C-alpha cells in the first residue's frame, strides 16, 4: 500500500514520539530514586558526605557536558542515547553490591557521564526530526509530554519502591533500577535519525564548539535564552535530591516516604502537561509563574506538614513548566548544526549552579532544619522573576 504524502509525516512523527515517550518513561523508572538518599544515610554517610556525592555527580556532568554536546553534533546522537543508560546501570549495580562512599562516588561518576551523553543529544535529535517532518511547531507539546512520561516513570517507580523495598530492601530496588536502565538503552536504538553528519568528526567537533560559543557571545537573544535555563532548573533540581529528607522530617514512617514523594512528582507531571497551553507566556507571565512557585515552595516547606508537601508539589510543578518553556525558547533560537552543543552549554550552566546549590544546602543544613533550607532556597527564584519583569519593562520602553 502506498502512503499518502500527509500520511508519511504522521507516521514518522508517531514513531518518533512513541519511542521518545517510552524512552523518557523508562529512563526515570528507577526504584532507587526515593530511597538512595536514605541508603547513603543508612550506610553512615554524613550530610556533608551526601552533599559531596551529589556535587560529584554534577561536577562529572560539568566536565563532560559541553564536549559530549559537541560530540553529539559530530556523530550519531542515537548512539549516545543508548550508551548513556548502560553506564548508569553499572553505577546502580555498584551501589547495592558494595555500598560504601567509594562505590557511591563511582556510581555517581558513571551516572553523570551517562546523563552528559544524553543531555543535548535528545533535544537536538527530537527537534531536528520534527523539523524534517515539517512539525517543528509541535516541539513544545512533544517535549512537555515527554517530560510528563518521564515523570510518570518517576511516579510509577515511587509507587513500587515502597512494596519492593519492604520485600527485598536496597538490593531489590537496585536490581529493578538496573533492569530499567538496560530497557532504556534498548528503546533508544529505535530512535529515527536522518541527520547528515560530517565526514570528519574531529574537525566537526572543534568547529562546532568554536562557532557555537561565538554565537552565544554575539547574539543577545541566544545568550538570554541560554542563561534562563540554569536560572530556572538548577535550584529545584538540587532540592529534589533532598526531598526524602524533607518528607521524613515531618514525622512520617520511612515506608511512607516514597508515597509522599510520589505526590510531589504527580504535581510535576501535571505541570509538564500544561506546556502546550503555556507556550505563549511572555517574560511577564513567566516571572509571575516563578514568583508564585517560589512562594509555594517557601510556605510549603516551612509548614512541615502534609499540606505543606502538597504546596511543595505545586511549586515543583511550576518550576518544571518554566524549565520546559525555557528549553523551547532556546531551541527556537539556535541552528541545527550547533543544537546539541548549545543545549549542552545550557545544561553546563545548570550543573554549575546545581553544584553551588549542593554546597549552599550543606552549609545551611549544618545549623538549619531541611524545611528552613528549602524556604531559603526559594529566594533565587524570586530574583529570577524580578529580573524577567525588569527585562519585560525595559523592552516595553524601547
Amino acid at each position: 500500500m502506498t502512503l499518502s504524502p500527509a500520511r508519511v509525516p504522521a507516521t514518522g512523527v508517531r514513531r518518533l514520539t512513541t519511542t521518545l515517550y517510552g524512552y523518557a518513561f523508562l529512563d526515570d523508572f528507577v526504584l532507587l530514586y526515593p530511597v538512595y538518599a536514605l541508603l547513603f544515610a543508612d550506610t553512615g554517610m554524613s550530610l556533608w558526605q551526601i552533599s559531596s556525592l551529589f556535587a560529584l555527580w554534577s561536577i562529572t556532568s560539568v566536565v563532560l557536558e559541553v564536549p559530549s554536546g559537541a560530540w553529539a553534533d559530530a556523530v550519531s546522537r542515537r548512539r549516545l542515547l543508548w550508551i548513556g543508560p548502560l553506564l548508569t546501570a553499572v553505577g546502580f549495580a555498584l551501589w547495592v553490591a558494595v555500598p560504601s562512599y567509594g562505590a557511591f562516588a563511582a556510581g555517581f561518576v558513571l551516572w553523570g557521564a551517562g546523563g552528559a551523553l544524553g543531555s543535548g543529544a535528545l533535544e537536538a535529535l527530537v527537534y531536528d526530526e520534527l523539523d524534517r517532518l515539517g512539525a517543528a511547531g509541535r516541539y513544545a507539546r512533544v517535549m512537555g509530554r515527554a517530560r510528563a512520561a518521564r515523570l510518570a516513570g518517576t511516579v510509577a517507580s515511587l509507587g513500587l519502591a515502597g512494596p519492593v523495598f519492604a520485600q527485598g530492601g536496597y538490593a531489590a530496588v537496585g536490581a529493578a533500577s538496573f533492569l530499567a536502565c538496560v530497557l532504556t538503552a534498548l528503546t533508544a536504538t529505535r530512535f529515527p535519525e536522518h541527520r547528515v553528519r560530517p565526514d570528519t568528526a574531529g574537525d566537526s567537533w572543534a568547529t562546532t564548539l568554536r562557532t557555537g560559543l561565538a554565537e552565544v557571545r554575539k547574539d543577545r537573544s541566544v545568550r538570554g535564552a541560554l542563561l534562563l535555563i540554569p536560572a530556572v532548573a538548577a535550584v529545584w533540581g538540587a532540592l529534589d535530591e533532598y526531598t526524602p529528607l524533607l518528607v521524613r522530617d515531618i514525622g512520617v514512617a520511612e515506608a511512607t516516604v516514597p508515597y509522599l514523594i510520589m505526590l510531589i512528582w504527580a504535581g510535576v507531571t501535571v505541570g509538564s502537561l500544561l506546556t502546550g497551553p503555556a507556550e505563549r507566556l511572555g517574560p511577564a507571565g513567566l516571572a509571575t509563574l516563578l514568583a508564585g512557585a517560589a512562594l509555594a515552595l517557601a510556605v510549603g516547606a516551612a509548614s512541615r506538614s502534609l499540606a505543606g508537601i502538597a504546596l511543595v508539589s505545586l511549586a515543583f510543578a511550576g518550576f518544571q513548566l518554566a524549565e520546559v518553556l525555557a528549553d523551547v525558547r532556546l531551541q527556537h533560537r539556535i541552528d541545527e548544526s550547533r543544537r546539541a552543543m548549545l543545549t549542552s552549554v545550557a545544561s553546563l550552566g545548570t550543573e554549575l549552579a546545581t553544584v553551588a546549590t549542593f554546597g549552599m544546602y550543606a552549609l545551611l543544613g549544618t545549623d538549619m532544619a531541611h524545611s528552613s533550607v528549602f524556604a531559603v532556597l526559594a529566594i533565587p527564584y524570586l530574583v529570577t522573576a524580578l529580573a524577567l519583569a525588569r527585562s519585560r519593562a525595559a523592552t516595553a520602553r524601547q
Side-chain angles (χ1 to χ4, degrees):
M1 180 179 69
T2 302
L3 297 175
S4 67
R7 179 69 173 171
V8 175
T11 302
V13 170
R14 188 180 305 112
R15 177 189 171 187
L16 172 65
T17 56
T18 300
T19 304
L20 173 64
Y21 301 154
Y23 178 90
F25 178 89
L26 290 169
D27 196 37
D28 267 27
F29 185 66
V30 178
L31 271 63
L32 274 168
Y33 276 168
V35 298
Y36 65 67
L38 305 181
L39 168 62
F40 303 156
D42 290 346
T43 307
M45 303 294 103
S46 67
L47 179 60
W48 273 101
Q49 287 177 309
I50 293 173
S51 294
S52 72
L53 289 171
F54 294 154
L56 178 62
W57 184 16
S58 291
I59 289 170
T60 302
S61 297
V62 165
V63 172
L64 298 178
E65 191 70 61
V66 175
S68 67
W71 190 23
D73 282 331
V75 300
S76 168
R77 292 164 178 168
R78 178 173 55 199
R79 183 186 308 160
L80 302 188
L81 291 174
W82 64 257
I83 292 175
L86 295 182
L87 295 179
T88 303
V90 175
F92 289 160
L94 284 174
W95 284 3
V96 296
V98 283
S100 61
Y101 185 85
F104 298 149
F108 270 128
V109 169
L110 288 168
W111 194 358
L117 290 180
S119 176
L122 180 64
E123 294 86 349
L125 184 148
V126 172
Y127 191 96
D128 288 343
E129 287 297 315
L130 286 172
D131 191 38
R132 183 185 67 85
L133 295 166
R138 301 188 193 181
Y139 178 78
R141 182 166 65 253
V142 167
M143 291 307 292
R145 290 176 179 175
R147 295 290 183 103
R150 185 177 293 277
L151 294 168
T154 300
V155 170
S157 68
L158 294 173
L160 287 174
V164 172
F165 181 78
Q167 291 295 319
Y170 293 117
V173 294
S177 301
F178 177 90
L179 178 60
C181 290
V182 173
L183 292 175
T184 304
L186 290 174
T187 302
T189 63
R190 291 193 47 79
F191 272 116
E193 187 175 29
H194 297 86
R195 184 173 59 99
V196 178
R197 296 181 295 277
D199 293 329
T200 55
D203 291 342
S204 177
W205 190 98
T207 300
T208 297
L209 184 58
R210 184 173 59 254
T211 57
L213 293 178
E215 181 178 348
V216 172
R217 288 194 300 269
K218 71 181 182 181
D219 192 325
R220 184 176 179 180
S221 68
V222 171
R223 186 167 62 252
L226 190 149
L227 291 174
L228 181 61
I229 292 179
V232 170
V235 174
W236 86 277
L239 290 179
D240 166 44
E241 305 305 327
Y242 298 98
T243 49
L245 301 176
L246 174 72
V247 170
R248 185 163 66 175
D249 269 8
I250 70 175
V252 301
E254 287 196 2
T256 307
V257 171
Y259 298 108
L260 292 179
I261 300 298
M262 182 170 64
L263 170 65
I264 292 175
W265 285 100
V268 179
T269 303
V270 173
S272 292
L273 293 173
L274 294 175
T275 302
E279 187 178 2
R280 292 185 177 86
L281 279 179
L286 190 55
T288 301
L289 173 65
L290 287 174
L295 291 174
L297 176 64
V299 173
S303 72
R304 303 184 68 174
S305 64
L306 291 176
I309 296 302
L311 281 177
V312 171
S313 174
L314 180 63
F316 276 24
F319 296 143
Q320 171 70 15
L321 174 57
E323 183 179 341
V324 178
L325 293 176
D327 173 57
V328 172
R329 292 184 181 209
L330 178 63
Q331 298 304 327
H332 285 331
R333 286 167 170 77
I334 54 182
D335 181 74
E336 174 186 353
S337 63
R338 297 182 289 276
R339 189 176 307 284
M341 197 279 292
L342 288 178
T343 303
S344 290
V345 170
S347 296
L348 171 62
T350 300
E351 295 298 341
L352 288 171
T354 300
V355 171
T357 304
F358 287 143
M360 182 61 68
Y361 196 106
L363 182 64
L364 294 172
T366 302
D367 300 312
M368 299 170 65
H370 293 291
S371 57
S372 299
V373 179
F374 268 66
V376 169
L377 290 177
I379 294 174
Y381 286 108
L382 294 175
V383 174
T384 300
L386 180 61
L388 282 170
R390 286 184 174 178
S391 172
R392 175 68 179 86
T395 301
R397 287 195 299 267
Q398 292 176 356

